[in-house]
Amino acid sequence: AFSSQHHGARTSATKTSQLMMSSSPSSSQSRRDVLSHAASVAAVGLSALILDPNTAAAFKPGPPTAQSAANKAAESYQGVYSDPNHPEGYRVIMASSGKGGGATMTLSDGVEKDAPEGTEEKTYKNIPVAITEGSNELSFDFSFKGGPKGVVGILSNDKQSITFPDGNTWKKNANLYDGIYKDANYPNGYRIIRKLKSTKTITEVNNTGDPKDSIFIKGNHGSLFSIPTTAFAFYDYTGKETCTEKLCRSCEVVCKDEVVGQFSLQESNTVFSYGTITFPDKTIWTRI
């Protein structure tokens, strides 16, 4: 399932600070007074942090690591795009594996929220996308869904969006974590992570590059408020179940196939590089 890809990591010691009082409160002092005093001290400390730029600077993240800088520089037009005209859908653009170059697109407009019950999602695959070498132009043929041919989209300089002549713009990796990832253990393969619903995700795992070998696994992500890092769980992927310890006679033992990785967008982190998901066995998926 997950094979090892080891990266050296230095473990840094973490310093913790404690708020100490010079003397304990007397018995006549109310609990409210103690809490009020503690809040005042905390407020003073916070204001000092805000007012003193030298102190505040100490809490700024460090410079990007070499690996994070390399990951960011390697990003391309490839990715998972969202179209504001079809908020329930997605577009996945990926470089073709054949000799002809160019790219292919998988497109779904999703199922509109007001669609009749039972409406099924339509997905169009292997749609050719022409790439103009040396430029930021991508040419699309939308005739498969009744649209025009030869529509040229312009990739932004930061490679985070594609804008079309009508002004519509597709945004790449709009959910922060979605995108196309590579696992160095499977150089011909890919992993495509998309949002399914709420915190639920769907991941296409392919180890060969042949779409027929893809498997789809569901997962769940932690709070996006914790970005630049958050946990990602993938279910029914490793083929091995781990069971929880039975804590009482009436407690049920829960067994599940689950592996949790750490997603990172933090450029200065020496353990979890920018644009990666790192697993317990040190396997790393890197977004392209």
Side-chain angles (χ1 to χ4, degrees):
F2 290 95
S3 55
S4 297
Q5 179 188 355
H6 295 281
H7 287 264
R10 291 186 305 177
T11 306
S12 58
T14 329
K15 296 182 180 179
T16 55
S17 59
Q18 297 179 339
L19 179 65
M20 303 294 292
M21 292 188 179
S22 58
S23 61
S24 57
S26 64
S27 57
S28 60
Q29 189 175 22
S30 69
R31 186 166 179 263
R32 179 179 298 176
D33 293 334
V34 176
L35 295 175
S36 177
H37 174 71
S40 299
V41 174
V44 171
L46 179 60
S47 62
L49 175 64
I50 294 173
L51 295 176
D52 183 357
N54 295 322
T55 305
F59 291 88
K60 291 182 179 179
T65 64
Q67 187 61 59
S68 288
N71 291 351
K72 203 163 188 179
E75 289 186 338
S76 66
Y77 64 87
Q78 301 180 83
V80 177
Y81 289 82
S82 61
D83 180 347
N85 293 330
H86 302 281
E88 305 302 319
Y90 63 88
R91 289 90 173 88
V92 177
I93 302 177
M94 186 164 57
S96 299
S97 56
K99 296 181 180 179
T104 59
M105 177 172 64
T106 298
L107 180 149
S108 172
D109 289 337
V111 177
E112 302 297 334
K113 293 181 178 179
D114 57 352
E117 187 175 350
T119 301
E120 295 186 0
E121 177 180 3
K122 287 185 178 180
T123 302
Y124 304 91
K125 299 181 178 181
N126 298 318
I127 304 163
V129 178
I131 308 294
T132 304
E133 189 174 351
S135 78
N136 57 350
E137 294 184 355
L138 294 85
S139 181
F140 297 83
D141 178 356
F142 293 110
S143 61
F144 63 92
K145 52 180 291 188
K149 296 181 179 180
V151 179
V152 176
I154 303 298
L155 179 70
S156 62
N157 291 332
D158 63 1
K159 302 179 178 64
Q160 296 303 305
S161 63
I162 298 175
T163 301
F164 294 90
D166 63 357
N168 188 30
T169 297
W170 293 357
K171 185 176 180 181
K172 189 171 80 170
N173 308 335
N175 295 299
L176 300 179
Y177 58 82
D178 44 354
I180 302 174
Y181 292 76
K182 298 289 284 187
D183 180 344
N185 299 298
Y186 302 97
N188 295 325
Y190 52 85
R191 287 88 173 89
I192 302 175
I193 301 179
R194 296 188 289 105
K195 178 180 178 179
L196 193 59
K197 186 177 182 181
S198 185
T199 62
K200 294 179 173 58
T201 61
I202 185 76
T203 301
E204 179 181 358
V205 177
N206 187 294
N207 292 337
T208 67
D210 186 339
K212 292 185 294 184
D213 296 328
S214 291
I215 62 172
F216 293 84
I217 57 175
K218 293 184 179 180
N220 199 39
H221 64 72
S223 172
L224 296 184
F225 289 107
S226 67
I227 294 292
T229 61
T230 193
F232 258 79
F234 299 87
Y235 308 128
D236 301 322
Y237 177 40
T238 67
K240 299 179 181 179
E241 287 191 341
T242 301
C243 302
T244 58
E245 183 180 351
K246 189 171 184 178
L247 301 178
C248 62
R249 291 183 179 180
S250 59
C251 294
E252 292 186 4
V253 175
V254 178
C255 298
K256 55 186 175 182
D257 177 353
E258 174 185 301
V259 64
V260 178
Q262 187 72 16
F263 170 71
S264 174
L265 285 179
Q266 196 169 46
E267 297 181 47
S268 60
N269 196 311
T270 58
V271 179
F272 306 113
S273 300
Y274 172 88
T276 61
I277 297 177
T278 304
F279 295 92
D281 69 351
K282 305 305 180 184
T283 292
I284 297 176
W285 294 356
T286 303
R287 191 163 65 186
I288 59 176

